[in-house]
Amino acid sequence: MTQPTQQRTQISQSIMIGGVVTLVALIAAILLWSNKPTEQQKDIASTPETQAKDDHDEGKELALTSKQMAEQGVKLAVVAMGNVQQIESYPAKLMVNTDRQAHVSSSFSGRVEAVHVNLGQTVKKGQALATLRVPDLVDQQANLRIAEANLTLTQQDYQREQSLWSQGISAKQDYQRAYNAYQQAQVQVQAARSRLAAFGVGGNSHGQYVLTAPIAGVVSSKDIVIGENVQLASQLFVIDQLDQLWLEFVLPTDYLSRISPNQELEFKSLQTGNRFKARVQTLNAQADEQTGRLLVRAQVLSQAAELRPNLMVNIELQQTQQSQVIRVLKSAVQQVEGQDSIFIAQPHGDKIEFMPQTVSLGALSTDGQWVEVKQGLKIGQSYVGEGSFLLKSELEKGEADHGH
């Protein structure tokens, strides 16, 4: 190739390279310009709403003055160690106090003529319960009348012999004989009357025997109907005094050191949820061989119409004293974004700032007042004990406003 031809070729290559470089530079400039925000976009990005949203994303905070806190009922508390006491429940049963119960039975065999009370009826001491016709009673009352008639005759004989002996007409031995007969007749009458009185009947009942209430109370059992024949000592009525009931329950043997006579306990009705008090009376000296449990009997101290024999209740006993844990008031816990949270309080100028702190909770006290905090808080931190729901509402309201 000649010299002029080589020069022309080099010139053409230089022009092509220069064109390519120029084209690349032009494309880069166009791309850079298209990615640069406009002035309008800059204005939108810097609006107060957008800035507030950015600030909110950095941390959720609320602030109140002392006056505002007092007006809104927001009260502070301090994270501290304490007990989260829990209650254990055991089934129990209300029982009749057998020391205040009467079993009424007949002292004779006989036929029922009348029943004067109904099951569940309240009776007074001495009130008639039922009337029986008793053949044996007829015989005993007849014996009393015979003894009384014999007493009248022997008395007349004695008085006559006494008069004759005082006049010197009759011998002393006749007078003595009449006196002895009179004394025996008196004893026989007294014995017959005492026998009837022991059964609670008189001499003129004509074979009728009236069962009466030995105590005042409620007829809790009744096993008698008109026309039936009852046997001697058959239990016909049970009368209970329901103003003082017993509470019976069983406990594991490890409770022996935690319960003692005269200790007051609480029990709860399963029907109404109402709580009542009782005082421990007795504990069995030995545990049951099969269950290893102790039978405990307590006297019910509360008076209520709903407390009736055979009612099932729950006895409530405090658990063994546990080690202290970090605890807060249960009223302080709120759900923030689906997590348990406590509003931490920090001074900031003339205001108090509040920030929700996610926590991990543990046991809750049975009375619902305290809750254990396993993670998330430190001892000595100030938190919102009352009024945290208000802060949660304000926080959610702010989030809603930012959403718009």
Side-chain angles (χ1 to χ4, degrees):
M1 183 180 294
T2 62
Q3 186 68 27
T5 303
Q6 293 180 347
Q7 291 178 352
R8 286 194 301 270
T9 302
Q10 291 176 351
I11 293 171
S12 299
Q13 291 178 346
S14 299
I15 294 172
M16 290 178 63
I17 293 172
V20 171
V21 172
T22 302
L23 179 62
V24 170
L26 180 60
I27 293 173
I30 293 173
L31 291 175
L32 180 63
W33 178 261
S34 63
N35 290 331
K36 185 176 181 180
T38 64
E39 292 299 325
Q40 183 179 6
Q41 289 173 332
K42 291 181 180 179
D43 294 340
I44 294 175
S46 60
T47 58
E49 289 80 0
T50 306
Q51 184 65 37
K53 184 177 186 303
D54 293 340
D55 294 340
H56 176 70
D57 291 340
E58 293 177 359
K60 301 173 182 178
E61 295 183 4
L62 298 169
L64 296 174
T65 63
S66 299
K67 181 179 179 181
Q68 290 173 328
M69 290 174 60
E71 292 175 348
Q72 300 298 331
V74 177
K75 297 182 180 180
L76 302 183
V78 178
V79 179
M81 300 289 288
N83 294 322
V84 180
Q85 192 65 57
Q86 292 184 303
I87 299 296
E88 292 181 336
S89 297
Y90 292 90
K93 187 177 183 180
L94 292 178
M95 305 290 292
V96 171
N97 185 342
T98 54
D99 292 337
R100 300 170 68 86
Q101 183 183 68
H103 294 184
V104 183
S105 59
S106 174
S107 300
F108 301 94
S109 298
R111 182 173 58 84
V112 180
E113 285 193 339
V115 179
H116 308 296
V117 296
N118 298 316
L119 188 64
Q121 180 177 335
T122 300
V123 296
K124 297 179 180 179
K125 182 178 180 179
Q127 181 174 337
L129 303 177
T131 300
L132 309 180
R133 173 69 66 177
V134 181
D136 185 48
L137 187 58
V138 175
D139 295 337
Q140 292 195 33
Q141 290 174 333
N143 292 335
L144 173 61
R145 287 192 292 271
I146 293 173
E148 290 175 339
N150 183 55
L151 176 62
T152 300
L153 294 175
T154 56
Q155 182 181 16
Q156 293 173 354
D157 186 43
Y158 164 69
Q159 291 174 346
R160 184 177 62 256
E161 290 296 332
Q162 183 183 36
S163 177
L164 293 175
W165 179 67
S166 63
Q167 296 175 19
I169 300 174
S170 175
K172 183 177 181 179
Q173 62 183 7
D174 293 334
Y175 163 74
Q176 192 67 43
R177 176 190 55 78
Y179 175 75
N180 291 339
Y182 176 54
Q183 291 290 323
Q184 287 183 343
Q186 285 182 318
V187 171
Q188 291 175 353
V189 170
Q190 185 61 39
R193 288 176 177 173
S194 297
R195 189 178 298 108
L196 292 173
F199 295 124
V201 296
N204 299 315
S205 65
H206 306 290
Q208 285 188 331
Y209 175 54
V210 179
L211 286 170
T212 58
I215 61 172
V218 176
V219 179
S220 59
S221 177
K222 171 175 165 283
D223 186 16
I224 183 173
V225 294
I226 296 176
E228 73 170 334
N229 290 316
V230 298
Q231 300 302 315
L232 174 66
S234 297
Q235 181 176 298
L236 305 177
F237 297 93
V238 176
I239 300 176
D240 293 318
Q241 293 181 330
L242 302 182
D243 58 334
Q244 189 178 102
L245 298 176
W246 278 342
L247 185 67
E248 288 190 353
F249 54 98
V250 292
L251 294 176
T253 53
D254 57 1
Y255 263 84
L256 183 60
S257 60
R258 297 164 55 187
I259 194 168
S260 59
N262 298 321
Q263 178 180 343
E264 284 197 7
L265 305 173
E266 280 195 352
F267 65 94
K268 182 174 68 174
S269 169
L270 299 180
Q271 284 72 28
T272 64
N274 294 331
R275 283 181 165 82
F276 306 95
K277 292 187 177 297
R279 180 182 291 114
V280 176
Q281 293 292 311
T282 59
L283 292 84
N284 276 15
Q286 296 181 351
D288 184 87
E289 295 181 358
Q290 296 181 348
T291 64
R293 291 174 172 261
L294 296 170
L295 176 63
V296 183
R297 177 176 292 162
Q299 176 185 338
V300 176
L301 302 179
S302 304
Q303 299 289 333
E306 66 182 272
L307 299 180
R308 292 287 177 176
N310 300 320
L311 182 69
M312 296 303 298
V313 298
N314 273 346
I315 192 76
E316 296 184 338
L317 300 174
Q318 290 187 350
Q319 289 183 344
T320 306
Q321 187 69 24
Q322 301 174 346
S323 59
Q324 292 191 336
V325 297
I326 298 178
R327 69 177 189 178
V328 296
L329 293 169
K330 179 61 173 65
S331 58
V333 181
Q334 298 294 336
Q335 287 286 314
V336 177
E337 296 183 352
Q339 294 182 322
D340 292 324
S341 301
I342 305 289
F343 281 91
I344 301 300
Q346 293 182 344
H348 187 77
D350 60 345
K351 292 185 177 182
I352 303 294
E353 288 186 346
F354 304 98
M355 179 180 293
Q357 174 64 48
T358 302
V359 294
S360 175
L361 302 180
L364 174 67
S365 63
T366 303
D367 60 8
Q369 183 178 5
W370 300 99
V371 62
E372 176 188 2
V373 178
K374 293 184 176 181
Q375 291 181 350
L377 296 181
K378 296 180 180 180
I379 297 175
Q381 281 186 294
S382 181
Y383 69 96
V384 178
E386 295 184 23
S388 59
F389 182 76
L390 172 66
L391 298 180
K392 175 188 175 182
S393 299
E394 290 296 325
L395 186 63
E396 292 176 345
K397 179 180 178 182
E399 291 177 348
D401 292 341
H402 291 320
H404 292 296

